[in-house]
Amino acid sequence: MSSRLFAISFDAQEPERLARFWAGLLDLEGADEPYDGVLLRSGNDGGYRLGFRSSPARKTDQNRLHFDLTSSSADDQRETVARALGLGARHCDVGQGPDASHVVLADPEGNEFCVIEPGNGFLAGCGRLGALACDGSQAVGYFWSEALGWPLVWDQDEETAVQSPDGGTKITWGGPPLMPDPGRDLHLDLAPDGGQEAEVERLLALGAKRLDAAHGGDGAVLLADPDGNAFRVLAGRRD
């Protein structure tokens, strides 16, 4: 049994509006597939979508998960920042300092993301959505490597990273200490390759915890990884 990463989803007060921002920033097209929210095709070798689901939660702190966008040149980095600001983003201070070579922004609902400087070797070849950078422990990196069947491509000084065998976006974890729960964040939506309940049991055996006794309205099962980050196992096969 295994799961595929179906979507990286945003909690959103206005899912359609937030999806328009990211579609405009990254030139993404909508995905017409069953989902309890808005889907965009990521166009990434990792094979996932971007999801936007309605959530009443309030954002109270910096996100534990954020995207790192790559740049092919200094002009490309400036153009990406200018496009994001024109679409409704704002500059964001997360302690990066005035000499940082990357630019930190927040989307219209306050989700932080970085526009990385050109020449970053770690993200070379990963595509525009270079990394999903996560606050998290070494153990949670090991968990997600097993859960997704993605090999570890970095494991040093309690920092870990995984990447699909097909390439594309890396998912990275920066090690302790763990930031507070931000209230609203990004989450992983998994599509089981076989039966949903058998896959849920496999993930529980790997260290996940069940967050609700019943299925959600769309048939998804809500779990938490070993660091307490919520994720969903979707119902039925999704190609």
Side-chain angles (χ1 to χ4, degrees), residues 108-187:
E109 294 206 7
N111 301 295
E112 299 88 2
F113 64 98
C114 297
V115 185
I116 304 299
E117 69 281 1
N120 185 293
F122 182 69
L123 299 181
C126 293
R128 179 67 86 178
L129 287 164
L132 178 67
C134 310
D135 183 56
S137 65
Q138 184 182 51
V140 89
Y142 294 168
F143 167 84
W144 281 109
S145 178
E146 291 288 338
L148 294 172
W150 288 14
L152 284 163
V153 294
W154 183 263
D155 184 9
Q156 185 172 313
D157 299 327
E158 298 190 79
E159 298 179 354
T160 53
V162 300
Q163 186 180 31
S164 166
D166 297 322
T169 301
K170 290 177 176 174
I171 306 180
T172 71
W173 292 270
L178 193 64
M179 291 191 300
D181 184 346
R184 282 208 327 261
D185 211 334
L186 282 70
H187 305 280

Side-chain angles (χ1 to χ4, degrees), residues 42-65:
S42 71
N44 188 278
D45 290 341
Y48 63 87
R49 296 103 177 126
L50 295 184
F52 304 85
R53 300 179 61 247
S54 179
S55 171
R58 291 182 57 251
K59 180 174 162 63
T60 58
D61 215 321
Q62 181 181 333
N63 285 14
R64 285 183 177 178
L65 289 72

Side-chain angles (χ1 to χ4, degrees), residues 7-71:
I8 298 172
S9 67
F10 291 75
D11 289 338
Q13 293 179 322
E14 299 181 68
E16 293 83 3
R17 177 173 175 253
L18 194 58
R20 284 196 298 272
F21 169 84
W22 284 95
L25 178 60
L26 300 174
D27 293 322
L28 303 181
E29 297 181 353
D32 184 16
E33 301 174 73
Y35 190 72
D36 64 332
V38 182
L39 279 178
L40 299 176
R41 299 188 186 280
S42 71
N44 188 278
D45 290 341
Y48 63 87
R49 296 103 177 126
L50 295 184
F52 304 85
R53 300 179 61 247
S54 179
S55 171
R58 291 182 57 251
K59 180 174 162 63
T60 58
D61 215 321
Q62 181 181 333
N63 285 14
R64 285 183 177 178
L65 289 72
H66 71 268
F67 277 117
D68 286 341
L69 310 185
T70 61
S71 302

Side-chain angles (χ1 to χ4, degrees), residues 143 146-147 197-210 223-224 226 231:
F143 167 84
E146 291 288 338
E197 195 53 42
E199 179 60 6
V200 167
E201 292 302 320
R202 184 184 76 93
L203 294 166
L204 293 174
L206 289 175
K209 292 187 168 103
R210 194 185 290 265
L223 302 177
F231 68 95

